[in-house]
């Protein structure tokens, strides 16, 4: 059974950091590129970042680059999203997704094969 399970979300104050994890099971993570997305209430889903299957290529939404960092540990079947200097506008449900091998320059709009159920991140004072 294929599963992507996000964890690490929570309620934090502005300026804090969080590291989200996405644990994969039921498929070989090393064969997949992995993306992180988020969706805030009343807004469309937004792409955050994508990392290729062998960590040779990463993509970021420009507005988040420099605060958010994607990484992966294929041995642990886990992908991470390090989020620093969090702002209230970062409040959203965060999702990870898997697509075979490559992100490509169209990583925000390609059809991801698997999705997680999401983890809530709330940034508030």
């Amino acid at each position: 059974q294929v599963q992507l399970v996000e964890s690490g979300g929570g309620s934090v104050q502005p300026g804090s950091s969080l590291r989200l994890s996405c644990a994969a099971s039921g498929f070989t993570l090393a064969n997949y590129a992995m993306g992180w997305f988020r969706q805030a209430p009343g807004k469309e889903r937004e792409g955050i970042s994508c990392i290729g299957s062998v960590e040779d290529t990463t993509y970021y939404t420009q507005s988040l680059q420099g605060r958010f960092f994607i990484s992966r540990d294929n041995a642990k079947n886990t992908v991470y999203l390090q989020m620093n200097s969090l702002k209230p506008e970062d409040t959203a449900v965060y999702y990870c997704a898997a697509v075979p091998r490559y992100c490509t320059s169209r990583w925000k709009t390609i059809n991801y094969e698997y999705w997680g159920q999401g983890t809530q991140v709330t940034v508030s004072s």
Side-chain angles (χ1 to χ4, degrees):
Q1 181 182 0
V2 171
Q3 273 194 314
L4 290 173
V5 180
E6 301 94 337
S7 61
S11 295
V12 297
Q13 293 187 338
S16 300
S17 296
L18 280 176
R19 189 177 78 158
L20 305 184
S21 299
C22 171
S25 60
F27 68 101
T28 303
L29 184 69
N31 294 333
Y32 284 76
M34 298 296 295
W36 280 100
F37 295 80
R38 68 183 183 183
Q39 188 164 20
K43 294 188 176 181
E44 292 188 356
R45 189 176 64 199
E46 176 186 21
I48 299 170
S49 183
C50 188
I51 185 168
S53 60
V54 292
E55 205 176 353
D56 58 349
T57 304
T58 56
Y59 295 86
Y60 290 92
T61 287
Q62 189 173 6
S63 62
L64 299 176
Q65 193 164 11
R67 287 198 303 126
F68 287 20
F69 300 92
I70 193 170
S71 62
R72 65 189 297 155
D73 186 338
N74 289 337
K76 295 183 177 180
N77 284 336
T78 302
V79 178
Y80 305 97
L81 183 69
Q82 178 68 40
M83 305 187 296
N84 300 325
S85 303
L86 284 164
K87 305 175 181 180
E89 52 263 42
D90 294 320
T91 295
V93 178
Y94 284 71
Y95 301 89
C96 62
V99 63
R101 299 191 68 81
Y102 306 112
C103 297
T104 81
S105 59
R106 296 180 296 110
W107 64 273
K108 293 184 182 181
T109 58
I110 56 177
N111 290 324
Y112 286 77
E113 190 167 334
Y114 308 124
W115 287 85
Q117 83 292 344
T119 185
Q120 177 71 46
V121 172
T122 302
V123 185
S124 174
S125 56

